[in-house]
Amino acid sequence: MVGGALIVLFSATTARLFVWPPTDAPTRVDAVVALGGDPGQRRAHYALELVRSGFAPVALISLGGKRSVPCPTHPQTERVICFRANPLDTRGEAQYVARLARERHWNQLIVVSERSQTTRARLLFARCTSAHLHMVPVSDPVSHIVYDIVYEWGALAKALVLHRSC
């Protein structure tokens, strides 16, 4: 009985944190941030689409760890800032964006992550910046969902236990 209850609790928690996390509708902000590590650059393309649609004047694109990934091409009407975080992880991305937000006096940001990464990204960005965050994720590839959930449990535990500050 207790084992079954624990399985149900764990499954419900997993679903709430990584499968159907709290998200926001796009709204007008100072900048849109696309987190890196996306081989197909779905997050970067969505961030650019949000800028084109008038939600922000600038897109910040994290290129992740692959040096061969170019900054997405864009018409001259769109402002794009590409960067490689140091450290090369979501925490490093939050630190970089927080510095830029302070320098440029940005008060509101859209953060585009994978849906499974949304909870952890919100936690890390909230630790690093006082800007109001709007989490607007892209869907995880179905073929990666099990891996992504396992990865996110470990990464969230690391963020909660080992790296508790920005």
Side-chain angles (χ1 to χ4, degrees):
M1 182 89 159
V2 172
L6 288 175
I7 289 171
V8 168
L9 179 63
F10 178 77
S11 298
T13 302
T14 297
R16 181 63 173 155
L17 293 176
F18 310 122
V19 180
W20 297 291
T23 61
D24 305 295
T27 189
R28 180 87 175 117
V29 296
D30 299 305
V32 177
V33 180
L35 302 185
D38 183 5
Q41 293 188 308
R42 292 173 309 114
R43 289 172 249 170
H45 293 300
Y46 186 50
L48 291 173
E49 182 181 312
L50 290 169
V51 169
R52 281 185 208 110
S53 297
F55 288 104
V58 63
L60 281 72
I61 310 292
S62 175
L63 298 177
K66 297 184 178 180
R67 292 273 178 209
S68 62
V69 174
C71 188
T73 58
H74 51 87
Q76 296 202 8
T77 58
E78 296 168 10
R79 291 185 33 220
V80 177
I81 300 170
C82 290
F83 68 97
R84 282 193 172 73
N86 184 14
L88 194 56
D89 56 18
T90 308
R91 184 170 168 243
E93 291 169 326
Q95 291 167 342
Y96 179 89
V97 171
R99 275 192 305 276
L100 206 55
R102 274 191 306 276
E103 290 170 9
R104 298 187 180 203
H105 307 287
W106 291 338
N107 297 311
Q108 294 200 45
L109 302 169
I110 288 177
V111 178
V112 179
S113 65
E114 296 285 329
R115 184 167 300 278
S116 62
Q117 183 186 24
T118 301
T119 299
R120 182 171 57 89
R122 184 187 301 270
L123 171 74
L124 294 172
F125 273 76
R127 285 178 178 171
C128 293
T129 182
S130 61
H132 183 77
L133 303 172
H134 303 271
M135 306 306 290
V136 182
V138 297
S139 296
D140 297 70
V142 175
S143 61
H144 298 169
I145 194 68
V146 173
Y147 170 83
D148 289 345
I149 288 171
V150 171
Y151 178 88
E152 286 302 325
W153 266 116
L156 183 60
K158 179 182 171 185
L160 292 171
V161 176
L162 298 178
H163 295 212
R164 298 181 59 168
S165 65
C166 178

